Amino acid sequence: MKIGVIGSGAMGSGIAQLAATASHETLIFDNNSVALRRSAEKTAEGLQARVDKGKISREEAERILNNITYVSNLPSFSSCNLIIEAIVEDLEVKKTLFKELEMIIEEECILATNTSSLSVTSIASSCRNASRVLGIHFFNPAIVMPLVELVPALQTSNNTMQIAKEIISGMGKTVVIAKDTPGFIVNRVARPFYGEAFKIFEEGIAGKETIDWASRTIGGFRMGPFELTDFIGHDVNYAVTESVWTSFYYDNRFKPSLIQKQLVDAGYLGRKSGRGFYNYMDPIETRVVSEDHELGSQIVNRILVMLFSEAADALYMKICSEEDLEKSMTKGVNYPKGLLAWANEFGISRIVRMLDDLYERYHDSRYRCCPLLRDMDRNKEIFKVSKN
Ligand code: NAI
């Protein structure tokens, strides 16, 4: 296969390396020649580091590099079978690019967008043959993260989905299919992990250190919500939350948090700027953790119940299958268990009761219980997923 990648930033560079590793002839283009050169250097350095660590052979690194061609114009993409764009997250710019590409490529070529927040259907609408367009959403870093969400636009053909699925699975990725709705699967279902934790903190129920501690030691998450968003970058995490919230017509379930907005305004973007919720420039910063197990369990249960609620809602709205939902959260954001299996363990009745109690307390629609959970509770059902 001949695969084209457009945009040589963090995502495009990773996607090109993946395609080259899977033995595809790979072309990559960026309209900024400095970015393209930087991408070439970083990919070579990254592969060299893997050779030095003994993870891959020198021949393997050379093979991968030889499969990548850095090109300086779009017409070079004329004979590609698949083109994946990973350019700036701007609807009009992406639409213009797809329109231009359609004048260059062959009829069978598939066009994919790596967008994480825009409507794939809207991007596809710029094309004469919209049935060849789909979303192929990789996670950062693309080389490492196993999950890829495939997102059919309203116009996408089954054939396009089938071919894309084969190519991406062939890159060793776990493929899930998501409906073209804001946040797809992962960026939608994971929102309460941050949002509910920030709310608990804002209300003074517990400090950030305690919430992080509880999430790790009681919840089994790899990182707590504060350390994780410091790691992701508050600009990035806030932008996703805001985008999902506005795209859902300001549904309270996705409402961003003022404390995170303040961090962004202050330029406290997390680890990358030396300061976020925590101060990484101060080696003796004291972190006060109250190792109160009862409080910790309450915090974790509240965050979990909101995650279960979001997962149930995604299922109820037919965003994806049960199986793909489980894979998405374990492989896309490293949750210790699939949320549906976890909800079964936690108890469906208990989830409904906790949501109703929260709703009763706050009268905030973010705590409304999904009809699916209520029906399941009434019929004494559980989610149909294997235990994990
Ligand atoms: P980035 O800013 O690192 O790279 C974007 C690159 O695209 C830049 O090098 C820029 O010069 C180039 N570019 C912009 N307009 C162009 C055009 N018209 N033609 C050719 N090149 C152009 O951005 P990043 O993080 O790699 O994101 C790219 C896309 O991937 C966005 O749509 C983003 O939403 C999506 N995405 C990002 C993730 C992340 O964690 N960074 C995760 C998943 C998806």
Side-chain angles (χ1 to χ4, degrees):
M1 286 273 172
K2 194 166 177 179
I3 297 187
V5 178
I6 304 186
S8 67
M11 295 307 292
S13 301
I15 296 167
Q17 186 177 328
L18 268 173
T21 307
S23 303
H24 298 296
E25 184 184 347
T26 307
L27 306 180
I28 179 162
F29 165 75
D30 198 293
N31 65 1
N32 176 342
S33 59
V34 178
L36 195 62
R37 203 169 333 117
R38 208 179 313 123
S39 166
E41 286 163 7
K42 279 185 107 175
T43 302
E45 281 165 19
L47 285 168
Q48 184 57 47
R50 288 179 62 78
V51 172
D52 294 344
K53 283 186 195 152
K55 299 226 162 121
I56 55 170
S57 66
R58 181 166 305 283
E59 293 71 32
E60 171 68 353
E62 274 167 18
R63 183 188 72 81
I64 297 169
L65 286 176
N66 286 337
N67 283 342
I68 309 179
T69 311
Y70 294 83
V71 300
S72 58
N73 58 48
L74 282 184
S76 311
F77 288 75
S78 62
S79 58
C80 283
N81 305 97
L82 164 69
I83 298 176
I84 305 172
E85 74 75 16
I87 66 167
V88 59
E89 188 76 335
D90 180 304
L91 182 61
E92 287 315 312
V93 181
K94 288 193 196 281
K95 279 180 156 181
T96 307
L97 173 69
F98 274 32
K99 238 185 227 158
E100 273 180 54
L101 282 173
E102 243 196 343
M103 289 192 271
I104 297 161
I105 57 176
E106 288 169 11
E107 206 44 51
E108 297 73 38
C109 178
I110 292 177
L111 291 176
T113 170
N114 184 45
T115 182
S116 37
S117 65
L118 302 171
S119 151
V120 180
T121 300
S122 177
I123 296 171
S125 71
S126 64
C127 289
R128 179 183 41 76
N129 173 8
S131 71
R132 61 159 100 202
V133 179
L134 84 160
I136 302 187
H137 184 227
F138 290 85
F139 290 78
N140 192 10
I143 305 166
V144 179
M145 296 303 286
L147 190 77
V148 175
E149 294 175 330
L150 290 193
V151 187
L154 208 57
Q155 309 94 323
T156 310
S157 70
N158 289 340
N159 189 41
T160 299
M161 287 300 288
Q162 196 53 42
I163 298 171
K165 194 172 174 192
E166 273 166 33
I167 298 175
I168 304 303
S169 304
M171 292 180 186
K173 296 295 180 190
T174 301
V175 169
V176 292
I177 315 265
K179 212 174 179 178
D180 183 21
T181 46
F184 310 134
I185 307 172
V186 172
N187 279 337
R188 171 193 186 130
V189 176
R191 298 261 65 77
F193 186 65
Y194 319 109
E196 203 54 26
F198 295 162
K199 196 153 189 285
I200 292 168
F201 175 58
E202 272 177 320
E203 288 180 12
I205 294 169
K208 55 186 185 293
E209 296 89 345
T210 302
I211 302 173
D212 276 346
W213 164 80
S215 304
R216 271 185 276 103
T217 55
I218 301 170
F221 292 95
R222 287 211 189 152
M223 288 172 110
F226 297 88
E227 47 201 6
L228 180 57
T229 46
D230 267 4
F231 181 76
I232 295 169
H234 293 287
D235 48 346
V236 173
N237 191 265
Y238 181 80
V240 175
T241 307
E242 195 180 35
S243 157
V244 172
W245 177 57
T246 51
S247 306
F248 274 116
Y249 303 110
Y250 308 100
D251 187 328
N252 265 6
R253 281 215 316 266
F254 304 105
K255 198 167 166 183
S257 137
L258 281 177
I259 45 165
Q260 194 177 31
K261 168 77 163 51
Q262 248 185 352
L263 291 180
V264 176
D265 289 345
Y268 295 170
L269 304 181
R271 277 180 185 270
K272 63 184 171 191
S273 64
R275 184 163 178 180
F277 281 114
Y278 297 107
N279 186 350
Y280 300 91
M281 291 179 295
D282 178 1
I284 52 161
E285 184 191 21
T286 346
R287 297 194 180 179
V288 187
V289 178
S290 142
E291 296 196 4
D292 174 343
H293 201 90
E294 202 179 312
L295 174 67
S297 295
Q298 283 167 11
I299 293 166
V300 170
N301 286 349
R302 180 161 156 185
I303 295 172
L304 278 179
V305 157
M306 291 301 278
L307 285 169
F308 298 150
S309 164
E310 213 45 66
D313 197 69
L315 216 53
Y316 187 60
M317 300 307 287
K318 313 275 185 286
I319 304 304
C320 59
S321 68
E322 280 99 340
E323 195 190 336
D324 280 0
L325 186 51
E326 297 297 79
K327 280 187 204 161
S328 296
M329 305 318 282
T330 49
K331 304 217 180 259
V333 269
N334 288 324
Y335 283 8
K337 293 175 209 177
L339 284 174
L340 302 178
W342 208 344
N344 285 344
E345 254 175 53
F346 193 92
I348 305 297
S349 294
R350 191 170 160 215
I351 298 169
V352 172
R353 247 192 353 261
M354 278 188 67
L355 284 170
D356 284 348
D357 286 350
L358 285 163
Y359 186 81
E360 183 59 32
R361 179 168 165 77
Y362 292 96
H363 278 261
D364 182 336
S365 60
R366 73 197 262 118
Y367 300 113
R368 66 187 185 267
C369 178
C370 172
L372 175 63
L373 285 170
R374 213 175 278 292
D375 290 347
M376 287 173 70
D377 178 30
R378 197 172 300 120
N379 302 329
K380 309 248 172 300
E381 287 167 354
I382 58 168
F383 289 111
K384 292 176 198 63
V385 282
S386 55
K387 268 191 176 177
N388 56 3

